[in-house]
Amino acid sequence: MSSRKPDRQDANAEPLPILRPMLGALLRMPVAQINLHINQALHDAGFADIRPAHQSVFQHLPPEGARSTTLAAAAQMTKQSMGALVADLVAWGYLERCADPGDKRAHIVRRTARGWEVERVARTSLAQLQAAWAEAIGQEAFAQLYLTLEKLSELFRSG
């Protein structure tokens, strides 16, 4: 059995290539910054009870509302986890549960006026961050990035 450490490279071996960041890491970094920026804006606007995890509810909640199970699937989380986040937001007055007209056993989750204010603050904050990024990398480059991400997103929706 060899006593060599597996993380060391042999002196005679080819040098390791310079590793570029993987695509997932490159996509995760801007998303993390978006979440931090929005969370700070929400706290500054007086919504200090909202944590980053709650953003997944607002992010996937369509204007007309949705079932918690639909939100959980869209956010790729368990129904129980989404249910806990929704329960927080209902208790704090950001969301309301209404009877589902198509199934009296189910509920639709919708924003209250307070929830719509959270949406406004988040979207304003995101627009400011996007403008800063466009300024930093150039308007044309940012527009191309946005279009490319829209095309990729469409692939996932259709396939």
Side-chain angles (χ1 to χ4, degrees), residues 13-45:
E14 292 288 321
L16 289 174
I18 295 174
L19 298 177
R20 296 176 67 192
M22 296 177 76
L23 181 60
L26 292 173
L27 292 170
R28 195 170 26 259
M29 288 182 238
V31 169
Q33 288 303 307
I34 289 169
N35 289 334
L36 287 171
H37 191 77
I38 290 174
N39 195 55
Q40 186 62 54
L42 290 172
H43 282 234
D44 292 347

Short mmCIF file of all heavy atoms in Angstrom, two decimals, residues 13-45:
data_model
loop_
_atom_site.label_atom_id
_atom_site.label_comp_id
_atom_site.label_asym_id
_atom_site.label_seq_id
_atom_site.Cartn_x
_atom_site.Cartn_y
_atom_site.Cartn_z
N ALA A 13 4.41 13.97 -13.69
CA ALA A 13 3.07 14.04 -14.29
C ALA A 13 2.89 15.38 -15.01
O ALA A 13 3.58 16.36 -14.73
CB ALA A 13 2.01 13.88 -13.22
N GLU A 14 1.95 15.39 -15.93
CA GLU A 14 1.60 16.63 -16.64
C GLU A 14 1.04 17.62 -15.62
O GLU A 14 0.34 17.23 -14.68
CB GLU A 14 0.53 16.34 -17.70
CG GLU A 14 1.02 15.51 -18.85
CD GLU A 14 1.96 16.28 -19.75
OE1 GLU A 14 1.72 17.49 -19.98
OE2 GLU A 14 2.96 15.69 -20.19
N PRO A 15 1.31 18.90 -15.81
CA PRO A 15 0.73 19.89 -14.87
C PRO A 15 -0.80 19.91 -15.00
O PRO A 15 -1.35 19.66 -16.07
CB PRO A 15 1.33 21.21 -15.33
CG PRO A 15 1.92 20.97 -16.67
CD PRO A 15 2.12 19.50 -16.84
N LEU A 16 -1.44 20.16 -13.88
CA LEU A 16 -2.91 20.26 -13.88
C LEU A 16 -3.34 21.47 -14.68
O LEU A 16 -2.70 22.53 -14.60
CB LEU A 16 -3.45 20.37 -12.45
CG LEU A 16 -3.34 19.12 -11.59
CD1 LEU A 16 -3.77 19.44 -10.17
CD2 LEU A 16 -4.19 18.01 -12.16
N PRO A 17 -4.41 21.34 -15.42
CA PRO A 17 -4.91 22.51 -16.15
C PRO A 17 -5.48 23.53 -15.16
O PRO A 17 -5.88 23.18 -14.06
CB PRO A 17 -6.01 21.94 -17.03
CG PRO A 17 -6.46 20.71 -16.32
CD PRO A 17 -5.24 20.16 -15.62
N ILE A 18 -5.46 24.77 -15.57
CA ILE A 18 -6.09 25.79 -14.75
C ILE A 18 -7.59 25.56 -14.85
O ILE A 18 -8.16 25.51 -15.94
CB ILE A 18 -5.72 27.20 -15.24
CG1 ILE A 18 -4.21 27.42 -15.05
CG2 ILE A 18 -6.52 28.26 -14.49
CD1 ILE A 18 -3.70 28.72 -15.62
N LEU A 19 -8.19 25.36 -13.72
CA LEU A 19 -9.62 25.03 -13.69
C LEU A 19 -10.45 26.31 -13.66
O LEU A 19 -10.29 27.15 -12.78
CB LEU A 19 -9.94 24.16 -12.48
CG LEU A 19 -9.24 22.81 -12.43
CD1 LEU A 19 -9.60 22.08 -11.15
CD2 LEU A 19 -9.62 21.96 -13.64
N ARG A 20 -11.32 26.42 -14.64
CA ARG A 20 -12.25 27.54 -14.67
C ARG A 20 -13.43 27.20 -13.77
O ARG A 20 -13.76 26.03 -13.59
CB ARG A 20 -12.74 27.76 -16.10
CG ARG A 20 -11.61 28.18 -17.03
CD ARG A 20 -12.11 28.30 -18.44
NE ARG A 20 -13.04 29.41 -18.54
CZ ARG A 20 -13.82 29.62 -19.59
NH1 ARG A 20 -13.79 28.81 -20.63
NH2 ARG A 20 -14.63 30.65 -19.62
N PRO A 21 -14.10 28.20 -13.23
CA PRO A 21 -15.29 27.91 -12.42
C PRO A 21 -16.33 27.18 -13.25
O PRO A 21 -16.48 27.43 -14.45
CB PRO A 21 -15.80 29.29 -12.01
CG PRO A 21 -14.65 30.21 -12.19
CD PRO A 21 -13.81 29.63 -13.30
N MET A 22 -17.02 26.27 -12.61
CA MET A 22 -18.08 25.53 -13.29
C MET A 22 -19.28 26.46 -13.48
O MET A 22 -19.47 27.42 -12.73
CB MET A 22 -18.45 24.28 -12.50
CG MET A 22 -17.28 23.29 -12.43
SD MET A 22 -17.65 21.86 -11.43
CE MET A 22 -18.69 20.95 -12.55
N LEU A 23 -20.09 26.15 -14.48
CA LEU A 23 -21.24 26.98 -14.80
C LEU A 23 -22.17 27.18 -13.61
O LEU A 23 -22.66 28.27 -13.35
CB LEU A 23 -22.01 26.39 -15.99
CG LEU A 23 -23.23 27.17 -16.46
CD1 LEU A 23 -22.84 28.57 -16.91
CD2 LEU A 23 -23.92 26.43 -17.60
N GLY A 24 -22.41 26.11 -12.85
CA GLY A 24 -23.28 26.22 -11.68
C GLY A 24 -22.79 27.25 -10.69
O GLY A 24 -23.58 28.02 -10.14
N ALA A 25 -21.47 27.28 -10.48
CA ALA A 25 -20.90 28.27 -9.57
C ALA A 25 -21.06 29.67 -10.12
O ALA A 25 -21.36 30.61 -9.38
CB ALA A 25 -19.43 27.97 -9.30
N LEU A 26 -20.86 29.82 -11.43
CA LEU A 26 -21.00 31.14 -12.04
C LEU A 26 -22.45 31.64 -11.97
O LEU A 26 -22.67 32.84 -11.84
CB LEU A 26 -20.53 31.10 -13.50
CG LEU A 26 -19.04 30.88 -13.70
CD1 LEU A 26 -18.73 30.69 -15.18
CD2 LEU A 26 -18.24 32.05 -13.13
N LEU A 27 -23.40 30.75 -12.05
CA LEU A 27 -24.81 31.15 -11.95
C LEU A 27 -25.21 31.39 -10.50
O LEU A 27 -26.01 32.28 -10.20
CB LEU A 27 -25.71 30.09 -12.57
CG LEU A 27 -25.61 29.94 -14.08
CD1 LEU A 27 -26.36 28.70 -14.55
CD2 LEU A 27 -26.12 31.18 -14.79
N ARG A 28 -24.65 30.61 -9.58
CA ARG A 28 -25.02 30.72 -8.17
C ARG A 28 -24.56 32.05 -7.56
O ARG A 28 -25.25 32.62 -6.73
CB ARG A 28 -24.40 29.53 -7.42
CG ARG A 28 -24.96 29.29 -6.06
CD ARG A 28 -24.52 27.98 -5.41
NE ARG A 28 -23.25 27.43 -5.83
CZ ARG A 28 -23.11 26.41 -6.69
NH1 ARG A 28 -24.15 25.85 -7.23
NH2 ARG A 28 -21.91 25.95 -7.01
N MET A 29 -23.40 32.54 -7.99
CA MET A 29 -22.88 33.78 -7.40
C MET A 29 -23.82 34.97 -7.61
O MET A 29 -24.14 35.68 -6.64
CB MET A 29 -21.49 34.08 -7.97
CG MET A 29 -20.41 33.15 -7.44
SD MET A 29 -18.80 33.60 -8.12
CE MET A 29 -18.34 32.09 -8.92
N PRO A 30 -24.29 35.23 -8.83
CA PRO A 30 -25.22 36.35 -9.00
C PRO A 30 -26.55 36.14 -8.26
O PRO A 30 -27.11 37.08 -7.72
CB PRO A 30 -25.44 36.43 -10.51
CG PRO A 30 -24.30 35.69 -11.12
CD PRO A 30 -23.88 34.67 -10.12
N VAL A 31 -27.03 34.90 -8.23
CA VAL A 31 -28.28 34.63 -7.52
C VAL A 31 -28.12 34.93 -6.03
O VAL A 31 -29.01 35.53 -5.41
CB VAL A 31 -28.74 33.17 -7.75
CG1 VAL A 31 -29.88 32.79 -6.82
CG2 VAL A 31 -29.15 32.96 -9.20
N ALA A 32 -26.99 34.56 -5.47
CA ALA A 32 -26.74 34.85 -4.05
C ALA A 32 -26.73 36.36 -3.81
O ALA A 32 -27.28 36.84 -2.82
CB ALA A 32 -25.42 34.22 -3.60
N GLN A 33 -26.12 37.11 -4.73
CA GLN A 33 -26.08 38.56 -4.59
C GLN A 33 -27.48 39.18 -4.71
O GLN A 33 -27.82 40.12 -4.00
CB GLN A 33 -25.13 39.17 -5.62
CG GLN A 33 -23.67 38.92 -5.32
CD GLN A 33 -23.29 39.44 -3.94
OE1 GLN A 33 -23.52 40.60 -3.62
NE2 GLN A 33 -22.70 38.58 -3.13
N ILE A 34 -28.27 38.64 -5.62
CA ILE A 34 -29.65 39.10 -5.77
C ILE A 34 -30.41 38.89 -4.47
O ILE A 34 -31.08 39.81 -3.97
CB ILE A 34 -30.36 38.39 -6.94
CG1 ILE A 34 -29.79 38.87 -8.28
CG2 ILE A 34 -31.88 38.59 -6.88
CD1 ILE A 34 -30.24 38.03 -9.47
N ASN A 35 -30.30 37.70 -3.90
CA ASN A 35 -31.02 37.41 -2.66
C ASN A 35 -30.57 38.32 -1.52
O ASN A 35 -31.41 38.82 -0.76
CB ASN A 35 -30.85 35.94 -2.29
CG ASN A 35 -31.61 35.02 -3.21
OD1 ASN A 35 -32.61 35.41 -3.82
ND2 ASN A 35 -31.14 33.80 -3.35
N LEU A 36 -29.27 38.53 -1.40
CA LEU A 36 -28.76 39.43 -0.36
C LEU A 36 -29.26 40.86 -0.55
O LEU A 36 -29.67 41.53 0.40
CB LEU A 36 -27.23 39.42 -0.35
CG LEU A 36 -26.56 38.19 0.21
CD1 LEU A 36 -25.05 38.22 -0.06
CD2 LEU A 36 -26.83 38.05 1.70
N HIS A 37 -29.23 41.32 -1.79
CA HIS A 37 -29.65 42.69 -2.11
C HIS A 37 -31.14 42.89 -1.79
O HIS A 37 -31.52 43.88 -1.16
CB HIS A 37 -29.35 42.98 -3.58
CG HIS A 37 -29.51 44.41 -3.96
ND1 HIS A 37 -28.55 45.36 -3.65
CD2 HIS A 37 -30.50 45.07 -4.60
CE1 HIS A 37 -28.95 46.54 -4.10
NE2 HIS A 37 -30.13 46.39 -4.68
N ILE A 38 -31.96 41.95 -2.22
CA ILE A 38 -33.39 42.05 -1.97
C ILE A 38 -33.68 41.95 -0.48
O ILE A 38 -34.48 42.72 0.07
CB ILE A 38 -34.18 40.98 -2.77
CG1 ILE A 38 -34.14 41.33 -4.26
CG2 ILE A 38 -35.61 40.86 -2.27
CD1 ILE A 38 -34.75 40.27 -5.17
N ASN A 39 -33.02 41.03 0.20
CA ASN A 39 -33.24 40.88 1.63
C ASN A 39 -32.89 42.17 2.38
O ASN A 39 -33.63 42.59 3.27
CB ASN A 39 -32.42 39.70 2.17
CG ASN A 39 -32.88 39.28 3.54
OD1 ASN A 39 -34.04 38.98 3.74
ND2 ASN A 39 -31.97 39.26 4.48
N GLN A 40 -31.79 42.80 1.99
CA GLN A 40 -31.40 44.06 2.63
C GLN A 40 -32.44 45.15 2.35
O GLN A 40 -32.81 45.91 3.24
CB GLN A 40 -30.02 44.51 2.15
CG GLN A 40 -29.51 45.74 2.88
CD GLN A 40 -29.33 45.50 4.37
OE1 GLN A 40 -28.65 44.56 4.77
NE2 GLN A 40 -29.95 46.33 5.20
N ALA A 41 -32.92 45.22 1.12
CA ALA A 41 -33.94 46.22 0.77
C ALA A 41 -35.22 45.99 1.56
O ALA A 41 -35.84 46.96 2.03
CB ALA A 41 -34.22 46.18 -0.73
N LEU A 42 -35.61 44.74 1.73
CA LEU A 42 -36.82 44.44 2.51
C LEU A 42 -36.63 44.84 3.96
O LEU A 42 -37.53 45.45 4.56
CB LEU A 42 -37.16 42.95 2.39
CG LEU A 42 -37.66 42.50 1.03
CD1 LEU A 42 -37.79 40.98 0.97
CD2 LEU A 42 -38.99 43.16 0.67
N HIS A 43 -35.48 44.55 4.51
CA HIS A 43 -35.21 44.94 5.91
C HIS A 43 -35.21 46.46 6.05
O HIS A 43 -35.79 46.99 6.99
CB HIS A 43 -33.89 44.34 6.39
CG HIS A 43 -34.02 42.90 6.76
ND1 HIS A 43 -33.65 42.39 7.96
CD2 HIS A 43 -34.52 41.85 6.06
CE1 HIS A 43 -33.91 41.10 8.01
NE2 HIS A 43 -34.43 40.75 6.86
N ASP A 44 -34.59 47.16 5.09
CA ASP A 44 -34.55 48.62 5.12
C ASP A 44 -35.94 49.23 5.01
O ASP A 44 -36.19 50.32 5.52
CB ASP A 44 -33.66 49.17 4.01
CG ASP A 44 -32.18 48.84 4.21
OD1 ASP A 44 -31.79 48.41 5.32
OD2 ASP A 44 -31.42 49.01 3.23
N ALA A 45 -36.85 48.52 4.32
CA ALA A 45 -38.22 49.02 4.13
C ALA A 45 -39.14 48.62 5.28
O ALA A 45 -40.34 48.90 5.24
CB ALA A 45 -38.77 48.49 2.81
#
